[in-house]
Amino acid sequence: MSTQDEADKTQRTPSLAHENHSPEEMLIAARRERGAIVRERGEEPFANDVGPITTIGDAVAPFASAKRPGDDEAPKYDLERVAALAKERGVTELRIAGRVIAVRSFGKAAFVRVRDRSGEIQLFCRKDALGEQFARLAAAGGEIEVADHVVATGAPMVTKTGELSIEAASIRLLTKAYRPLPEKWHGLQDVELRYRQRYVDLVANPEVAEVFRARGHLVRALRRFLDDDGFLEVETPTLVSLVGGATARPFHTHHNTLDLDLFMRIAPELYLKRCLVGGLERVYEIGRCYRNEGISTRHNPEFTMLEFYRAYATYDDLMTMTERMLRFVDDELRAAMPRAWAKWAAARPFVLDRPFARVSMSEAALRAVRASAIPELVERCDRGWRELCAFFEADFGPHIKEWAKQASRAVDWGNFRKAYAKCENAGERLFCLYEYFAEPFLAADYRTEASPDGSTKSIPVFVIDHPFEISPLARRKDDDPSLTDRFELFVEARELCNAFSELNDPDDQAARFREQVAKKARGAEETMDYDEDYVRALEHGMPPAAGFGLGIDRLVMMLCHQPSIRDVILFPLLRPQAT
């Protein structure tokens, strides 16, 4: 029954038709009255005696071979084949439960569409078969209506249009929904309302529910991949007394009993590496992390991270492992949700089945500056990144307007100039150069060969060999101590993973912690504290190892082709609603 039908019925209820009631309030009041009618009849409108049921997916599965060739999204079934299969398998009665999502009435008959976690099915309800229960359908003036939960029994059948259905022998209200679904609920579009009332969004937009089912499959696949590779899942503290494991602003909290100021962890890294010291040579954790930073389509203050650490491995080993892992979880998603996967895969602007690109940060920066086609800068690229960075140390503000005219791509010159002025050393300058000239254009610079129709897709890119000044926990390269054995993986120019060969020299680590503390004293907000216990742990000897971090939310965004991180978090943080 449509919202308009509900409004018409409400208008026929004199006690509710008052000028001070909003339409929504009137609909809710009318539904409450119908729930009261159920109670007056001696039944419970919020029942819990469901009894044995079959999921809709399992109810439909035995008849898969009776589908006629055609559209799998709206399959048509052969009547005689369904009847034969029902007889052959002894399927004389099905008992299902779910939410009513549509009701259509035709006098002495009604079609009620029901949805559960596994799918949807239509109930064919005839007055002469249901008797007094037919009168309980809203379509016949009763109380069962759209958004309610019901339990129904009946035999499998096929309608004249070829739709597999259940000919209802009984139908009963399980849960009365006091609030109707919103108008045009099947296409709820208000983005903020969708995030605030995700419970409605999941009903109104089935494709949203698909994304969160996919998220569950992806997390299970990650666990399976790591478990099968000999990793042990562990749990580490989320309340910590020091900031460490990454450079980010933390959230503060307080423990009343201990009278102790604490932080919400920004990463589990330092505790997981303590496990390596203790002999747990392959460990991982999937857990929540918290960073007190801005909100964007790629950032949420509360997010889910996978981190793993593998003894006797290098960052080269992890690059190979990362490619295998991403292809594995994508294959698992395809097997679990083939229809949804096909839709998402077709929309992806990138590929996973080609070898990933590997490029050093300095090479990526120089290549991108050359691609800008600014003669003055291209000339200096030939002398190396240090020469190019030295050139920018002078005030280049007067050149920006001319460079912007000459550039073949849109560089954010204003913010680049501000960020570069804050850099304190060569490593920070290289990173700034890369961040503004190269990172935004990785998807354009690294692509597949053109297909026959001329189209190309981007290739995931490992950006490797980061400066040690911006990598306080990574191991220096043996052949160039100014750089580290570190990579970040970018897919369609979005960072997905961060990994490196781990620093296990306690003296080097202590010096880097001291530099972090010095930066904090100079006013830097995104720095680590000096973790004396972690240095002590390293002094006990941590084996050579490599570590890896992956944002689960971004992985779901990537594989399910979602534009915003809020689309893959069930209940994202939002500002309070104005009252």
Side-chain angles (χ1 to χ4, degrees), residues 155-320:
M157 63 164 291
V158 177
T159 64
K160 292 178 180 179
T161 61
E163 182 169 357
L164 181 64
S165 305
I166 294 175
E167 186 169 6
S170 71
I171 184 167
R172 180 167 69 91
L173 179 72
L174 288 176
T175 300
K176 185 66 195 169
Y178 285 160
R179 288 181 179 270
L181 292 166
E183 275 193 73
K184 300 180 181 178
W185 63 271
H186 51 282
L188 182 63
Q189 296 298 318
D190 186 316
V191 174
E192 183 157 328
L193 181 62
R194 288 178 48 224
Y195 296 151
R196 290 189 187 280
Q197 298 182 18
R198 184 70 87 182
Y199 40 87
V200 178
D201 188 27
L202 292 168
V203 178
N205 298 308
E207 66 277 8
V208 172
E210 280 186 334
V211 170
F212 290 103
R213 290 193 181 95
R215 183 179 178 123
H217 287 300
L218 290 171
V219 171
R220 282 196 293 275
L222 287 168
R223 282 194 165 100
R224 188 177 305 118
F225 180 88
L226 292 167
D227 291 344
D228 290 348
D229 202 25
F231 282 79
L232 174 70
E233 184 173 10
V234 299
E235 294 176 308
T236 63
T238 56
L239 292 174
V240 294
S241 57
L242 296 171
V243 179
T247 52
R249 293 178 62 187
F251 284 96
H252 299 255
T253 187
H254 184 79
H255 193 295
N256 291 332
T257 301
L258 298 179
D259 190 22
L260 186 64
D261 289 330
L262 296 169
F263 304 102
M264 303 296 289
R265 73 172 177 199
I266 57 177
E269 177 169 341
L270 299 186
Y271 283 100
L272 291 172
K273 288 194 284 195
R274 285 173 168 94
C275 293
L276 296 183
V277 174
L280 302 179
E281 294 177 351
R282 295 190 179 194
V283 292
Y284 76 92
E285 182 171 10
I286 297 176
R288 303 295 265 181
C289 296
Y290 309 86
R291 299 184 183 179
N292 199 351
E293 57 190 14
I295 294 175
S296 74
T297 57
R298 285 184 279 177
H299 298 86
N300 195 68
E302 178 182 10
F303 61 98
T304 304
M305 176 86 80
L306 161 67
E307 285 204 15
F308 69 74
Y309 293 83
R310 177 179 158 189
Y312 312 113
T314 68
Y315 81 134
D316 280 310
D317 297 322
L318 292 200
M319 279 188 271
T320 301

Side-chain angles (χ1 to χ4, degrees), residues 395-433:
D395 182 19
F396 53 86
H399 301 284
I400 286 179
K401 285 187 178 180
E402 185 60 30
W403 288 349
K405 292 177 184 177
Q406 296 175 347
S408 62
R409 49 181 50 171
V411 176
D412 186 352
W413 293 104
N415 283 324
F416 170 61
R417 182 187 182 193
K418 292 175 185 176
Y420 204 85
K422 295 178 182 178
C423 294
E424 298 179 347
N425 49 61
E428 291 180 2
R429 294 184 187 103
L430 170 59
F431 174 69
C432 188
L433 193 69

Side-chain angles (χ1 to χ4, degrees), residues 367-386:
R367 175 175 176 172
V369 173
R370 288 189 180 98
S372 72
I374 301 172
E376 195 171 359
L377 302 183
V378 171
E379 177 189 353
R380 283 171 173 80
C381 287
D382 296 334
R383 306 175 199 171
W385 69 267
R386 293 180 186 278

